[in-house]
Amino acid sequence: MRNTLTALLLAIFLFAGCRSSAGSTTDPALPTPDEGLLTPTAGVVANPAAAGFEPLPGAQAYFGMLRGAAFRIEVPRDWNGGLLLWARGFRGYGTEVSAELPPAALRQAAIQGGFAWASSSFSQNGYIAALGANETLLLKRYFAARFGEPATTIIAGESMGGHITVLSLERFPGEYDGGLALCGVVAGQEWFDYLLGWPLAAEFIAGVSLPLEDGKAAVERVLESRVLPALGRPENATLRGQAFASVIRELTGGARPFFDEGFRKAYRYNFGLVTGDPAREMEVSRAASTQELDYRADPGLGFDGEVINLGVRRVAADATLRDPETHPGTAPTTGELHAPLLTLHETGDLSVPISLELSYRQKVDAAGHGDLLVQRAIRAPGHCQFSDTELAAAWEAIVTWVAGGPKPPGDDLSGGLAGAGMAFTQPLRPGDPGQ
């Protein structure tokens, strides 16, 4: 059925005379079939930036608008039939968005290897994993109608784009031959559980309740004047602050390289869910739950044993929003992979913690698809801070795998993270305890 639709759309396109041999072109959007799309969570209607860009040597650039979203496509002159679909990350809730280029090393490796790539700005902004999955699939169909059905299609993305990648491999069987998730929200809504759990643990340990019912200004005022001073800065923490850091460390995967550096980077940002939406007006907020979070502090800091679990404020989700069939964008991912997936994740990422990878491994194994998942830890602080060498190696690994080559090596993250990533971190970062 898909091939029939592709042939029909390609015929319409050729009849319209829109094909161009220019290096950079803007083309009218082709009609694209809507079959099988997900029910998306609404975001903010976006105003995409102009999509024009310079192609790499030996490639041709195409750009334009498709269903309210800007797109970019780059095709090498020696195209081998492969296509990389790139999914961008979360860019806040403003109206300005763009069709982003893949990371330079990934783009270079794809083009040099004969792959084309395509990227959408998405027609909305916000946390829009399901809509992003839909509009990436529509862009794939547009590409097929214009250039012909790809022989191999790989979807890749970073952060929210990693969620889009996983969601696409779970929900669109047969559309993608493989995926590459970078620093990804691979466990779906569990990321928002974490972002809600962070400030609720902080308020309990600080001994100060955040007035969530009183609005943004009141929450911000109490956070700045009472909660944060009680904890101290990460680099000069009080005893309560040390307890909080230990709780977050254990919540996000335990002792590992660059936790401290990542904790400092994400410290203030991770209060953003409750300062930005204390009334839980957004669907992603209402879908968040702290009911299952297990808070453990290091002994001797005043919060031993079950003290935090018994006293911390617990928040339940709107259960309907966590149904993967009716609300795929605000539900935890399921582990029902239909194609190979390779992931990269920094050990010191506290914005999107590596614990989401541990959770996703459990779900994939439980679903019986463990052979389709390879995970690689990168020993680094921060979020989406991979080296060119790490990205190029990951791309080569997923391309070889989906072409029928051997399953690439990865890390077993279940046995602790202290030694994880030694084989895949290139180079080891300054201060790495493994040096």
Coordinates of all heavy atoms in Angstrom, one line a residue, residues 274-350:
V274 N 8.2 22.9 38.1 CA 7.3 23.5 39.1 C 7.3 25.0 39.1 O 6.3 25.6 39.5 CB 7.6 22.9 40.5 CG1 7.4 21.5 40.6 CG2 9.0 23.3 41.0
T275 N 8.4 25.6 38.7 CA 8.4 27.1 38.7 C 7.7 27.6 37.4 O 7.1 28.6 37.4 CB 9.8 27.7 38.7 OG1 10.6 27.2 37.6 CG2 10.5 27.4 40.0
G276 N 7.7 26.8 36.3 CA 7.1 27.2 35.1 C 5.6 26.8 35.0 O 4.8 27.4 34.3
D277 N 5.2 25.7 35.7 CA 3.9 25.2 35.6 C 3.4 24.6 36.9 O 3.1 23.4 37.0 CB 3.8 24.1 34.5 CG 2.3 23.7 34.2 OD1 1.4 24.4 34.5 OD2 2.1 22.6 33.7
P278 N 3.4 25.4 38.0 CA 3.1 24.8 39.3 C 1.6 24.3 39.4 O 1.4 23.4 40.2 CB 3.3 26.0 40.3 CG 3.1 27.2 39.4 CD 3.7 26.8 38.1
A279 N 0.7 24.8 38.6 CA -0.7 24.4 38.6 C -0.9 23.2 37.8 O -2.0 22.7 37.7 CB -1.6 25.6 38.2
R280 N 0.1 22.7 37.1 CA 0.0 21.5 36.2 C -1.0 21.7 35.1 O -1.9 20.9 34.9 CB -0.2 20.3 37.1 CG 0.8 20.0 38.2 CD 0.5 18.8 39.0 NE 0.9 17.6 38.2 CZ 0.5 16.4 38.5 NH1 -0.4 16.1 39.5 NH2 0.9 15.3 37.8
E281 N -0.9 22.8 34.4 CA -1.8 23.1 33.4 C -1.5 22.3 32.1 O -2.4 22.0 31.3 CB -1.9 24.6 33.1 CG -2.4 25.4 34.3 CD -2.3 26.9 34.0 OE1 -1.8 27.3 33.0 OE2 -2.8 27.6 34.9
M282 N -0.2 22.1 31.8 CA 0.2 21.4 30.6 C 0.0 19.9 30.8 O 0.1 19.3 31.9 CB 1.7 21.6 30.4 CG 2.1 23.0 30.1 SD 3.8 23.2 29.6 CE 4.7 22.5 31.1
E283 N -0.3 19.2 29.7 CA -0.6 17.8 29.8 C 0.7 17.0 30.2 O 0.5 16.0 31.0 CB -1.0 17.2 28.4 CG -2.4 17.6 28.0 CD -2.9 16.9 26.8 OE1 -2.1 16.3 26.1 OE2 -4.2 16.9 26.6
V284 N 1.9 17.4 29.8 CA 3.1 16.7 30.3 C 3.2 16.8 31.8 O 3.8 15.9 32.4 CB 4.3 17.2 29.6 CG1 4.3 16.8 28.1 CG2 4.5 18.7 29.7
S285 N 2.7 17.9 32.4 CA 2.8 18.1 33.8 C 1.8 17.2 34.5 O 2.1 16.5 35.5 CB 2.6 19.5 34.2 OG 3.6 20.4 33.7
R286 N 0.6 17.2 34.0 CA -0.5 16.4 34.6 C -0.2 14.9 34.5 O -0.7 14.1 35.3 CB -1.9 16.7 34.0 CG -2.3 18.2 34.2 CD -3.8 18.4 34.1 NE -4.3 17.9 32.8 CZ -4.2 18.6 31.6 NH1 -3.7 19.8 31.7 NH2 -4.7 18.1 30.5
A287 N 0.5 14.5 33.5 CA 0.9 13.1 33.3 C 2.0 12.7 34.1 O 2.3 11.5 34.2 CB 1.2 12.9 31.8
A288 N 2.7 13.6 34.8 CA 3.8 13.2 35.7 C 3.4 12.7 37.0 O 2.4 13.1 37.6 CB 4.7 14.5 35.9
S289 N 4.2 11.7 37.5 CA 3.9 11.1 38.8 C 5.1 10.8 39.6 O 6.2 10.5 39.0 CB 3.2 9.7 38.5 OG 3.1 8.9 39.7
T290 N 5.1 11.0 40.9 CA 6.2 10.7 41.7 C 5.9 9.5 42.6 O 6.6 9.2 43.6 CB 6.6 11.9 42.6 OG1 5.5 12.2 43.5 CG2 6.9 13.1 41.8
Q291 N 4.8 8.8 42.4 CA 4.3 7.8 43.2 C 5.3 6.6 43.3 O 5.4 6.0 44.4 CB 3.0 7.2 42.7 CG 1.9 8.2 42.6 CD 1.3 8.5 44.0 OE1 1.9 9.0 44.9 NE2 0.0 8.2 44.2
E292 N 6.1 6.3 42.3 CA 7.0 5.2 42.3 C 8.4 5.6 42.5 O 9.3 4.7 42.5 CB 6.9 4.5 40.9 CG 5.5 4.0 40.6 CD 4.9 3.0 41.6 OE1 5.7 2.2 42.1 OE2 3.7 3.1 42.0
L293 N 8.8 6.8 42.7 CA 10.2 7.2 42.9 C 10.6 6.8 44.3 O 10.0 6.9 45.3 CB 10.3 8.8 42.8 CG 10.0 9.3 41.4 CD1 10.3 10.8 41.4 CD2 10.7 8.6 40.3
D294 N 11.9 6.3 44.3 CA 12.5 5.8 45.5 C 13.6 6.7 45.9 O 14.7 6.7 45.2 CB 13.0 4.3 45.3 CG 13.5 3.7 46.6 OD1 13.1 4.1 47.7 OD2 14.3 2.8 46.4
Y295 N 13.5 7.4 47.0 CA 14.5 8.4 47.4 C 15.4 7.8 48.5 O 14.9 7.4 49.5 CB 13.8 9.7 47.9 CG 12.9 10.4 47.0 CD1 11.5 10.3 47.1 CD2 13.4 11.2 46.0 CE1 10.6 10.9 46.2 CE2 12.5 11.9 45.1 CZ 11.2 11.8 45.3 OH 10.3 12.4 44.4
R296 N 16.7 7.8 48.2 CA 17.7 7.3 49.2 C 18.8 8.2 49.3 O 19.5 8.6 48.4 CB 18.2 5.9 48.7 CG 17.2 4.9 48.4 CD 16.7 4.2 49.7 NE 15.5 3.4 49.5 CZ 15.0 2.6 50.4 NH1 15.5 2.6 51.7 NH2 13.9 1.9 50.1
A297 N 19.0 8.7 50.6 CA 20.2 9.6 50.9 C 21.3 8.7 51.5 O 21.1 7.7 52.0 CB 19.8 10.6 51.9
D298 N 22.5 9.3 51.3 CA 23.7 8.6 52.0 C 23.5 8.6 53.5 O 22.9 9.6 54.1 CB 25.0 9.4 51.6 CG 25.4 9.1 50.2 OD1 24.9 8.2 49.6 OD2 26.3 9.8 49.8
P299 N 23.9 7.6 54.2 CA 23.8 7.6 55.7 C 24.6 8.7 56.3 O 25.6 9.1 55.8 CB 24.3 6.2 56.0 CG 25.2 5.8 54.9 CD 24.6 6.4 53.7
G300 N 24.1 9.1 57.5 CA 24.9 10.1 58.3 C 24.6 11.5 57.9 O 25.2 12.4 58.5
L301 N 23.6 11.8 57.0 CA 23.3 13.1 56.6 C 21.9 13.6 57.1 O 21.4 14.6 56.7 CB 23.3 13.2 55.1 CG 24.7 13.0 54.4 CD1 24.5 13.0 52.9 CD2 25.7 14.0 54.9
G302 N 21.3 12.8 58.0 CA 20.1 13.1 58.6 C 18.8 12.6 58.0 O 17.7 12.9 58.4
F303 N 19.0 11.8 56.9 CA 17.8 11.3 56.2 C 18.0 9.9 55.9 O 17.8 9.4 54.7 CB 17.6 12.1 54.9 CG 17.3 13.6 55.1 CD1 18.3 14.5 55.2 CD2 16.0 14.0 55.4 CE1 18.1 15.9 55.4 CE2 15.7 15.3 55.6 CZ 16.7 16.3 55.6
D304 N 18.3 9.1 56.9 CA 18.6 7.7 56.7 C 17.4 6.9 56.4 O 16.3 7.3 56.7 CB 19.3 7.1 57.9 CG 20.7 7.7 58.1 OD1 21.2 8.5 57.3 OD2 21.3 7.3 59.2
G305 N 17.6 5.7 55.8 CA 16.5 4.7 55.6 C 15.4 5.3 54.8 O 15.5 5.9 53.7
E306 N 14.1 5.1 55.3 CA 12.9 5.4 54.6 C 12.4 6.8 54.9 O 11.3 7.2 54.6 CB 11.8 4.4 54.9 CG 12.1 3.0 54.4 CD 12.1 2.9 52.9 OE1 11.3 3.8 52.3 OE2 12.7 2.1 52.3
V307 N 13.2 7.7 55.6 CA 12.8 9.0 56.1 C 12.2 9.8 54.9 O 11.1 10.3 55.1 CB 13.9 9.7 56.8 CG1 13.5 11.2 57.0 CG2 14.3 9.0 58.1
I308 N 12.9 9.9 53.8 CA 12.4 10.7 52.7 C 11.2 10.1 52.1 O 10.2 10.7 51.8 CB 13.5 11.0 51.7 CG1 14.7 11.6 52.4 CG2 13.0 11.8 50.5 CD1 15.9 11.8 51.5
N309 N 11.2 8.8 51.8 CA 10.1 8.1 51.1 C 8.8 8.2 51.9 O 7.7 8.4 51.4 CB 10.4 6.6 50.9 CG 11.4 6.4 49.7 OD1 11.3 7.1 48.7 ND2 12.3 5.5 49.9
L310 N 8.9 8.2 53.3 CA 7.7 8.3 54.1 C 7.2 9.7 54.2 O 6.0 9.9 54.5 CB 8.1 7.8 55.5 CG 8.3 6.3 55.6 CD1 8.8 5.9 57.0 CD2 7.1 5.5 55.2
G311 N 8.1 10.7 54.0 CA 7.7 12.1 54.3 C 7.5 13.0 53.1 O 6.9 14.0 53.1
V312 N 8.1 12.6 51.9 CA 8.1 13.5 50.8 C 6.7 13.6 50.2 O 5.9 12.7 50.3 CB 9.1 13.0 49.7 CG1 8.5 11.7 49.1 CG2 9.4 14.0 48.7
R313 N 6.4 14.8 49.6 CA 5.1 15.0 49.0 C 5.1 14.1 47.7 O 6.0 14.1 46.9 CB 5.0 16.4 48.6 CG 3.6 16.7 48.0 CD 3.3 18.1 47.4 NE 4.2 19.2 47.9 CZ 3.8 20.5 47.7 NH1 2.6 20.8 47.2 NH2 4.6 21.5 48.1
R314 N 4.0 13.3 47.6 CA 3.8 12.5 46.4 C 2.7 13.1 45.6 O 1.7 13.6 46.1 CB 3.4 11.1 46.9 CG 4.4 10.3 47.7 CD 5.6 9.9 46.9 NE 6.5 9.1 47.7 CZ 7.6 8.5 47.2 NH1 7.9 8.6 45.9 NH2 8.4 7.8 48.0
V315 N 2.9 13.0 44.3 CA 1.9 13.5 43.3 C 1.5 12.4 42.3 O 2.4 11.8 41.8 CB 2.5 14.7 42.5 CG1 1.5 15.2 41.5 CG2 2.8 15.9 43.5
A316 N 0.2 12.3 42.1 CA -0.3 11.2 41.2 C -0.5 11.9 39.8 O -0.8 13.1 39.7 CB -1.6 10.6 41.7
A317 N -0.4 11.0 38.8 CA -0.7 11.5 37.4 C -2.1 11.4 37.1 O -2.9 10.6 37.8 CB 0.1 10.6 36.5
D318 N -2.6 12.1 36.1 CA -3.8 11.8 35.4 C -3.6 10.5 34.6 O -2.9 10.6 33.6 CB -4.2 13.0 34.5 CG -5.5 12.8 33.7 OD1 -5.9 11.6 33.6 OD2 -6.0 13.7 33.2
A319 N -4.1 9.4 35.1 CA -3.8 8.1 34.5 C -4.1 8.0 33.0 O -3.5 7.3 32.3 CB -4.5 7.0 35.3
T320 N -5.2 8.8 32.6 CA -5.6 8.7 31.2 C -4.5 9.2 30.3 O -4.3 8.7 29.2 CB -6.9 9.5 31.0 OG1 -6.6 10.8 31.3 CG2 -8.0 8.9 31.8
L321 N -3.7 10.1 30.8 CA -2.6 10.7 30.0 C -1.4 9.8 29.8 O -0.5 10.1 29.1 CB -2.2 12.1 30.6 CG -3.3 13.2 30.5 CD1 -2.8 14.4 31.2 CD2 -3.7 13.5 29.1
R322 N -1.4 8.7 30.6 CA -0.2 7.8 30.5 C -0.6 6.5 29.7 O 0.2 5.6 29.8 CB 0.3 7.5 31.9 CG 0.9 8.6 32.7 CD 1.3 8.3 34.1 NE 2.5 7.5 34.2 CZ 3.7 7.9 34.4 NH1 3.9 9.3 34.6 NH2 4.8 7.1 34.5
D323 N -1.7 6.6 29.0 CA -2.1 5.5 28.2 C -1.4 5.6 26.8 O -1.6 6.5 26.1 CB -3.6 5.5 28.0 CG -4.1 4.3 27.2 OD1 -3.3 3.7 26.4 OD2 -5.3 4.0 27.3
P324 N -0.5 4.6 26.5 CA 0.3 4.8 25.3 C -0.5 4.7 24.0 O -0.1 5.1 23.0 CB 1.3 3.6 25.4 CG 0.7 2.6 26.3 CD -0.1 3.4 27.3
E325 N -1.7 4.1 24.1 CA -2.5 4.1 22.9 C -3.3 5.4 22.6 O -3.3 5.8 21.4 CB -3.6 2.9 23.0 CG -2.9 1.5 23.1 CD -2.1 1.2 21.9 OE1 -2.5 1.6 20.7 OE2 -1.0 0.7 22.1
T326 N -3.8 6.0 23.6 CA -4.6 7.2 23.4 C -3.7 8.5 23.6 O -4.0 9.5 23.0 CB -5.7 7.3 24.4 OG1 -5.2 7.2 25.7 CG2 -6.7 6.1 24.1
H327 N -2.6 8.4 24.3 CA -1.8 9.6 24.6 C -0.3 9.2 24.5 O 0.4 9.2 25.5 CB -2.1 10.2 26.0 CG -3.4 10.8 26.1 ND1 -4.5 10.1 26.4 CD2 -3.9 12.1 25.9 CE1 -5.6 10.8 26.5 NE2 -5.2 12.1 26.1
P328 N 0.1 8.8 23.3 CA 1.5 8.3 23.2 C 2.6 9.3 23.5 O 3.7 8.9 24.0 CB 1.6 7.9 21.7 CG 0.5 8.7 21.0 CD -0.6 8.8 22.0
G329 N 2.3 10.6 23.4 CA 3.3 11.6 23.7 C 3.5 11.9 25.2 O 4.5 12.5 25.6
T330 N 2.5 11.5 26.0 CA 2.7 11.7 27.5 C 2.6 10.4 28.2 O 2.4 10.4 29.5 CB 1.5 12.6 28.0 OG1 0.2 12.0 27.6 CG2 1.6 14.0 27.4
A331 N 2.9 9.3 27.6 CA 3.0 8.0 28.2 C 4.4 7.5 28.3 O 5.2 7.9 27.5 CB 2.1 7.0 27.5
P332 N 4.7 6.7 29.3 CA 6.1 6.1 29.2 C 6.2 5.2 27.9 O 5.2 4.7 27.4 CB 6.1 5.2 30.4 CG 5.1 5.8 31.4 CD 4.0 6.3 30.5
T333 N 7.4 5.1 27.4 CA 7.6 4.2 26.2 C 7.4 2.8 26.7 O 7.4 2.5 27.9 CB 9.0 4.4 25.7 OG1 9.9 4.4 26.7 CG2 9.1 5.8 24.9
T334 N 7.2 1.9 25.7 CA 6.7 0.5 26.1 C 7.8 -0.5 25.9 O 7.6 -1.6 26.5 CB 5.6 0.1 25.1 OG1 6.1 0.0 23.8 CG2 4.4 1.1 25.2
G335 N 8.9 -0.3 25.2 CA 9.9 -1.3 24.9 C 9.6 -2.2 23.7 O 10.3 -3.1 23.4
E336 N 8.5 -1.9 23.0 CA 8.0 -2.7 21.9 C 8.8 -2.3 20.6 O 8.2 -1.8 19.7 CB 6.5 -2.6 21.7 CG 5.7 -3.3 22.8 CD 5.8 -4.8 22.8 OE1 6.3 -5.4 21.8 OE2 5.3 -5.5 23.7
L337 N 10.1 -2.5 20.6 CA 10.9 -2.1 19.4 C 10.6 -3.0 18.2 O 10.4 -4.2 18.4 CB 12.4 -2.2 19.8 CG 13.0 -1.1 20.6 CD1 14.4 -1.4 21.0 CD2 12.9 0.3 19.9
H338 N 10.6 -2.4 17.1 CA 10.4 -3.1 15.8 C 11.6 -3.0 14.9 O 11.6 -3.6 13.8 CB 9.2 -2.6 15.1 CG 7.9 -2.8 15.8 ND1 7.2 -4.1 15.7 CD2 7.1 -2.1 16.6 CE1 6.1 -4.0 16.4 NE2 6.0 -2.8 17.0
A339 N 12.7 -2.4 15.4 CA 13.9 -2.3 14.6 C 15.1 -2.0 15.5 O 14.9 -1.6 16.6 CB 13.8 -1.2 13.5
P340 N 16.3 -2.2 15.1 CA 17.5 -2.0 16.0 C 17.6 -0.6 16.4 O 17.3 0.4 15.6 CB 18.6 -2.4 15.1 CG 18.1 -3.4 14.1 CD 16.7 -2.9 13.8
L341 N 18.0 -0.4 17.7 CA 18.2 0.9 18.3 C 19.5 0.9 19.0 O 19.8 0.1 19.8 CB 17.1 1.2 19.3 CG 17.2 2.5 20.1 CD1 17.2 3.7 19.2 CD2 16.2 2.6 21.2
L342 N 20.3 1.9 18.6 CA 21.6 2.2 19.3 C 21.4 3.5 20.1 O 21.0 4.5 19.5 CB 22.7 2.3 18.3 CG 24.1 2.7 18.9 CD1 24.7 1.7 19.9 CD2 25.1 2.9 17.7
T343 N 21.8 3.6 21.4 CA 21.7 4.8 22.1 C 23.1 5.2 22.7 O 23.9 4.3 23.0 CB 20.8 4.7 23.3 OG1 21.3 3.8 24.3 CG2 19.4 4.1 22.9
L344 N 23.3 6.5 22.8 CA 24.5 7.1 23.5 C 23.9 8.0 24.6 O 23.0 8.7 24.4 CB 25.3 8.0 22.5 CG 26.0 7.4 21.3 CD1 27.0 8.4 20.7 CD2 26.8 6.1 21.7
H345 N 24.6 7.9 25.8 CA 24.1 8.7 26.9 C 25.3 9.1 27.8 O 26.1 8.2 28.1 CB 23.0 8.0 27.7 CG 22.0 8.9 28.2 ND1 20.7 8.8 27.7 CD2 22.0 9.9 29.0 CE1 19.9 9.8 28.3 NE2 20.7 10.5 29.1
E346 N 25.4 10.3 28.1 CA 26.5 10.8 29.0 C 26.2 10.3 30.5 O 25.1 10.4 31.0 CB 26.7 12.3 29.0 CG 27.1 12.9 27.7 CD 25.9 13.5 27.0 OE1 24.8 12.9 27.1 OE2 26.1 14.5 26.3
T347 N 27.2 9.8 31.2 CA 27.1 9.5 32.6 C 26.7 10.7 33.4 O 26.1 10.5 34.4 CB 28.4 8.8 33.1 OG1 29.5 9.7 32.9 CG2 28.6 7.5 32.4
G348 N 27.3 11.8 33.1 CA 27.0 13.0 33.9 C 25.9 13.9 33.4 O 25.9 15.1 33.7
D349 N 25.0 13.4 32.6 CA 23.8 14.1 32.1 C 22.8 14.1 33.2 O 22.2 13.0 33.5 CB 23.3 13.5 30.9 CG 22.1 14.3 30.2 OD1 21.6 15.2 30.9 OD2 21.8 14.0 29.1
L350 N 22.5 15.2 33.9 CA 21.5 15.3 34.9 C 20.3 16.0 34.4 O 19.3 16.2 35.1 CB 22.0 16.0 36.2 CG 22.7 15.0 37.2 CD1 21.7 14.1 37.8 CD2 23.9 14.2 36.6

